Amino acid sequence: MQHDAIILGAGGAGLFCALTAGQMGARVLVIDHNQEPGKKILISGGGRCNFTNIGAVPDRYLSENKHFARSALSRYTPADFVDLVRRYNIAFHEKTLGQLFCDGSAKQIVAMLMDECAAGRVDFAFGAAISDVSHADGRFTVTTSAGIYSSPNLVIATGGPAIPKLGATGFAYQLGKQFGLKIIPPRPALVPFTLPQTENLFRELAGVAAEVVAKAGKSAFREAALFTHKGLSGPAMLQVSSYWRHGEAIAVDFLPDAPTDWLISAKRQRPKAGLKSVLGSALPERLATALADTLGLGGDMASQKDAALTAAMQRLKGWAFRPDGTEGFAKAEVTAGGIDTAGLSSRSMAANHIEGLFAIGEAVDVTGWLGGYNFQWAWASGHAAGTAIAERVHS
């Protein structure tokens, strides 16, 4: 059978591109080396799929071109995806900070996408390992373990190398380079940090969580931070990891609601209390103890000089951690970097110099915040490319 488009990858972006183009009359084939679709969707949100964020606006995405995502995101919005979810009677809720989750299972989202693909008569080749992709005479030829397929349109939707146990690879970058697209060096994003042995004190806090403001460079996020046996995790740390560069420090405000004179006020109000007790009124006990021990202010509050308390407060509101790395692609939720947007149209996601070539989703250098932003980019970029393919087919 002849196809108008071949989409490589049956993740969120690939499926959405397929259903969009298919329902607009294009004959679409989706190829994936996995045996089933939507593997990353199925594990997301603890199995409940944080399928979008109602605050998914362009400035919450990282890219070498910070304006690139604007076009696609404006033409397929979180409200559009919510309408689709509602049409399928999938119950959902807002958990926090605009994050929307299924009440039931992520399987409902995959089933919905596959039903929409069926409505567009999309064909699939699962378990098909790709051995070669070529381009000649205006057609792309994909050689796989399941057969050889050819089409005038090819979509790279194979994601990035984050979570390799799900079959994730850097294949998109290999293809991009093959077709002359530049690659922004990929790195793990939304990923826990590892701390050096010099931070042994905090390794003893494994399992302790607290709401903090974490900062990397000019970016700051107020959410929970979690201490682990390896270093730092939790939403606040995952968020700043996308902005962090190796060798840089992370600043943590352990008392985001406390004014800068809080310890001096505590000295007046609780002169006989120790620093450990004062900190324990605002922080988990184990964390309060570790911070107090590190600050080294023994004795009761009355015995502390105001200058020492001011210095301690400054440190508590900007505690510097210098990670020695992250837990890598194995633990990263997404990949930052990827196919350079400079070689793509922001309207159609098409390559500027090869007619019929598209790149979407995580394969592209667009990375969202934690909390449904990356799925919204998958839907929006897939919709943009799917629409453009259908327009090409009918032109």
Side-chain angles (χ1 to χ4, degrees), residues 16 72-87 376 379 383:
F16 214 85
L73 289 170
S74 68
R75 286 180 293 120
Y76 193 86
T77 68
D80 292 322
F81 194 79
V82 167
D83 286 345
L84 179 60
V85 169
R86 285 192 167 121
R87 285 214 312 271
Q376 186 58 38
W379 319 138
H383 180 267

Side-chain angles (χ1 to χ4, degrees), residues 59-62 187-190 193 215-221 237-246 248 336 367-369:
D59 65 2
R60 297 183 178 184
Y61 290 82
L62 292 76
R187 66 185 192 279
L190 303 182
F193 292 107
K215 299 178 183 178
K218 295 180 180 179
S219 300
F221 294 89
M237 295 302 163
L238 298 185
Q239 292 279 37
V240 295
S241 72
S242 297
Y243 295 85
W244 178 77
R245 292 295 186 275
H246 198 83
E248 293 178 349
T367 306
W369 286 5

Side-chain angles (χ1 to χ4, degrees), residues 23-60:
Q23 290 182 22
M24 293 177 71
R27 294 164 297 175
V28 180
L29 170 68
V30 178
I31 301 174
D32 199 298
H33 63 224
N34 285 317
Q35 296 292 338
E36 58 183 18
K39 285 227 168 183
K40 214 165 184 180
I41 298 172
L42 292 171
I43 69 156
S44 69
R48 290 191 172 182
C49 189
N50 180 191
F51 55 79
T52 193
N53 193 297
I54 58 178
V57 292
D59 65 2
R60 297 183 178 184

Side-chain angles (χ1 to χ4, degrees), residues 79-100:
D80 292 322
F81 194 79
V82 167
D83 286 345
L84 179 60
V85 169
R86 285 192 167 121
R87 285 214 312 271
Y88 277 78
N89 296 314
I90 297 173
F92 64 91
H93 61 279
E94 181 181 345
K95 189 173 181 181
T96 182
L97 300 173
Q99 302 169 14
L100 301 186

Side-chain angles (χ1 to χ4, degrees), residues 2 19 59 72 78 81 116 184 215 237 267 306 325 372 377:
Q2 293 294 309
L19 69 87
D59 65 2
F81 194 79
E116 288 290 296
I184 303 299
K215 299 178 183 178
M237 295 302 163
K267 172 183 174 179
D306 284 2
W377 172 244

Side-chain angles (χ1 to χ4, degrees), residues 273-299:
L275 179 60
K276 194 178 300 184
S277 176
V278 171
L279 292 180
S281 68
L283 296 167
E285 184 180 356
R286 286 168 61 197
L287 177 57
T289 299
L291 293 172
D293 288 347
T294 305
L295 290 168
L297 298 181

